[in-house]
Amino acid sequence: MESQEAPAVSAKRLELTPKALIHHKYGRTACYRIEEVKQHVENDCPGLVIPQQFRSLYRCHLDLPDLSFTSDMFPKKKDAEQAAAKIAIEKLGIHSTSATNDLTPEGASYELVARISGLFTDEFLSSTHPLTGHFGVAFGVMREHFGMIPISAITTCDVKVHNLCKVINSKAESDPLLVSSLILNAARKCSSLCTATDELWIWKEAPYSPEAIASVINHHSESLGCVQIEALRIPCSIEENVEALTLDVSNEHYYLDLIAQKLNVKDSSRVLVSRTVGKASSEMKVYFPYPEVPHFSDSSSGLKTSSEGKVSIEPIINQRASYLSGQDIYGDAILANIGYTWKSPYLFYEDVSLCTYYRMLLAKFPDGHYKLSREAILAAELPTAYTGRSNWKGLAPRDLLYAFCRLHKFSEPVFSITRINADASLSVTQRKSNSSKPTDEVDIANGDVSDVGEKNLDNSSIFRCEVKILSRRLEPIVEGSFTDTYRKESDAIQCSALKVLLWFDKYFKQLDMPVEVLSSSGHAHGIIVHAENLSHEFAMCSSIFGSTKNDNLRECSSLESFCKYYPNRKEENGMVVLNIEGPDSGVFPSPGSLICISYAVALVKIGDPVKDHLEGKDEFEFEVGTDAVIHQLEACATQLSVNQSAHFVIDMPSRDLILAAAGDAIKDLSKLPLYNCFLEYSVKVLRVPEPLEDRMEKALFSPSLSKQRIEFAVQHINECSAATLVDFGCGSGSLLNSLLEHTTTLEKIVGVDISQKSLARAAKILHQKLSLNSGVPTSIRQAVLYDGSITVYDSRLSGFDIGTCLEVIEHMEEDQAFLFGDVVLSSFCPRILVVSTPNYEYNSILQRSAVPTTEENTAPCKFRNHDHKFEWTREQFECWATDIALRHNYSVEFSGVGGSSDVEPGFASQIAIFRRSSFNTAETYFKTEDSSQPYELIWEWADSQHLK
């Protein structure tokens, strides 16, 4: 197997999309409405007679002020939105040249002056811009500063101003002080505006019209009364705790003045504001005092030395507030969710609790977003394996990695896909676009991978994925180069994203890791670490969380204290189990199964009967064996049977994690010393959905039992030089599909099943592989699928060289399994028949890790699949096979896969190989006379050369 690496992704500045251009011009006034349209799916598999289902298409309606545009229909909502935006910019004549990314710093400076000047006009006061709310206050309650607007109000309300500042000086992205400087300098260049020498106010020199003033005052004449809004004080000193504070907002007070009072500064003009923190739709921002630095100048930086020529002392960075906002925050700061919004005359506000703050911090950790998406901060862990979308709970790994990069102001992760032909040394990379990158790779690099799994060209391909994490300046931070291959592109992407996240998670647990250890740690995980860039990007994070100087939990292990206080309790595996309640139902979790539990977590202090509830869920599902929960919770839950419950205690996690989970109890806990405290978990197993059989087998066999069964069948096909094969109970065609990947003597393959849905899937897979464009080398010249019961005879399937019935009979009632044995050997009469079924005796091995091995435990093993009607022991299976073989002139021998016949309890999957001895004359005559054909033809394919 050889592969050809995909071309490297070139770093270049991306052009704005139509939707981004609309947002740039209209902001939040642009409204996108999605309309879903059901459309009949055309039959994309020639020869398939089953009618297909409907699919959803989407049409987007874009509403702008006084205008509306409608797109065509698209399979994806985002494509419809972009199409509607494109129609709008074409109709309105909006050009990308007006976007800030095409401006030079000089051009942006001119535009900034024009923009600032345009904000102080009569026409602007009649708009729905958020800044008009500040004008309403300026003309209403601000007697001393009538008509004056603090620079911070402009920075917090006008996105375009912010974007222009970033073009003028890229450092404005992370420096609110620089943004204020650039705005003030631009205002000083406007002949129509006035500024103060030592103040940060801007106002219009000429008076506004009385009508404009009355209009803006009336529009924002909200009757607030007196409202108390919770906010947070984030001290500059990392030694001090973050504390809650209250803002008493009313119609008589400007909210920025109230914040100025809390920050101990003169007025609202001395308050600087960060950009929005968290969701873009919120008004959560960090407010901090304008630092005592030299006066503004006309330079691009806006700062100069003092008149005496002395260089001022650099202001002190608030590390926690800066890390949270991604900008440079100085001195003590306030985190508040308050401000004016688009289209609304009212002041928006929401409380910001300590719990909100600690959850925002948690979200910036590699595993934090996953914990929050599962709403299980003290229970969930980032899983160590991705076994498929159906088993993964919470945000997918790729989405988690995107969120992690976004929160740390990185560029979007770049996924590079290599497609490999699994059957030959020929390697095929994705088709190239004009950008010299594979088309799929271009989409993935821009985040368009929602349906990447549908892009597989054929099932003979396997995929490998590399991941690059780049800084905002496109400097490499880490590069994941993994050798693992996957059948689906989506799986390759998700698994690679998870590996990168897991490495970051390991790094965050030891942020002060030396550079040489960083590199070796990354190499061990298939990751290239650019240590200098990594250390630079996480320097502030390391200074906050890398030390243990604030950790007061390690003076004495709480579990050690607990065991000393309760000498009859013993610690095992990081927990102390207090009790197990309820009768043993005999139904235990299995490897790979999805277990559903209810749980609750409480904070308890030794010797104190009062418990503070922190977290709990009535139903919580996770996959056993993937480390998706803390190891103590999984260890306890897998010892319980359904409807049993238990209580156990564990050591304290970090204080920040406790406060993130605390919810309403946080006010009491934030000042509580956590010494001699521990967490008590209450857990109950609600149900154990049966695991997918192949998933459970994959966890214990390599290769999996399904692959071993296929290899077994291929061996017998080639040994007997079989040219024709019929698969009884073919399902979705897994065996028939796999046979195309092996070199065999087969020329004709036939499948029969009672599920039309499964047959439709089989037809599409087989057609894809057998079509001339697939490039799959095969000896198969004909393939047919029938809908029918394998207990009913159809003359078209009589006398095949080999018949297979792998893991099928256990899905039938036992009497139907006996009937099948009679019909297949008496009527279909294949030369060789291979039948496999689970060995019930082996279930104890498969389920050993979940079932306690105690003498009292006499509960029978459960079946491997909820759909199994029976599972036979070796004796039962051999009795069935021997009986039908004797009655129909066949010999039979027994084998199996998974395990050994010489070691108890034998093979995991037991197999009977029937061989026809000779034809019975009466039966031969009967079959030639019986030409019944009850099966319905579902799909048929024939090689064009074979037809000739």
Side-chain angles (χ1 to χ4, degrees), residues 263-302:
L263 292 173
N264 296 318
V265 295
K266 180 180 178 182
D267 54 45
S268 54
S269 74
R270 309 298 292 183
V271 176
L272 295 178
V273 189
S274 75
R275 60 168 169 258
T276 301
V277 180
K279 294 182 179 180
S281 59
S282 75
E283 291 298 317
M284 190 176 300
K285 297 178 175 68
V286 177
Y287 300 82
F288 59 103
Y290 169 69
E292 295 302 324
V293 296
H295 298 310
F296 290 107
S297 72
D298 292 332
S299 66
S300 61
S301 67

Side-chain angles (χ1 to χ4, degrees), residues 98 462 559 594:
S98 64
I462 55 177
L559 276 189
L594 292 172

Side-chain angles (χ1 to χ4, degrees), residues 717-776:
I717 290 168
N718 291 331
E719 283 180 357
C720 69
S721 301
T724 57
L725 174 141
V726 55
D727 187 22
F728 295 102
C730 65
S732 299
S734 59
L735 172 62
L736 301 178
N737 175 40
S738 299
L739 289 176
L740 299 181
E741 300 174 3
H742 292 78
T743 301
T744 67
T745 57
L746 293 173
E747 296 180 3
K748 179 180 180 179
I749 55 175
V750 176
V752 57
D753 202 273
I754 59 172
S755 170
Q756 288 196 353
K757 185 177 181 180
S758 296
L759 289 168
R761 288 197 296 265
K764 291 177 181 179
I765 294 172
L766 293 173
H767 173 76
Q768 191 179 39
K769 280 199 171 182
L770 291 169
S771 62
L772 293 176
N773 294 329
S774 69
V776 178

Side-chain angles (χ1 to χ4, degrees), residues 469-487:
I469 306 298
L470 308 175
S471 70
R472 180 69 71 180
R473 298 178 298 279
L474 300 181
E475 297 169 338
I477 300 174
V478 299
E479 301 178 52
S481 181
F482 310 112
T483 58
D484 296 338
T485 57
Y486 304 87
R487 285 290 177 187

Side-chain angles (χ1 to χ4, degrees), residues 120-141:
F120 292 83
T121 62
D122 286 2
E123 294 77 14
F124 180 79
L125 293 184
S126 63
S127 71
T128 58
H129 195 285
L131 189 60
T132 59
H134 295 268
F135 275 105
V137 177
F139 291 126
V141 301

Side-chain angles (χ1 to χ4, degrees), residues 366 382 401 404 415 465-470 476-484 494-508 513 515-531 534 538:
L382 182 65
L401 186 59
F404 177 76
F415 295 90
C465 181
E466 296 183 355
V467 188
K468 292 181 181 178
I469 306 298
L470 308 175
I477 300 174
V478 299
E479 301 178 52
S481 181
F482 310 112
T483 58
D484 296 338
Q494 299 290 7
C495 291
S496 298
L498 180 58
K499 290 177 183 178
V500 172
L501 279 170
L502 289 169
W503 184 85
F504 271 120
D505 189 47
K506 181 178 179 181
Y507 169 62
F508 265 62
M513 192 183 301
V515 172
E516 59 276 8
V517 179
L518 267 178
S519 300
S520 60
S521 170
H523 181 74
H525 292 79
I527 292 176
I528 300 172
V529 180
H530 298 269
L534 180 77
F538 291 106

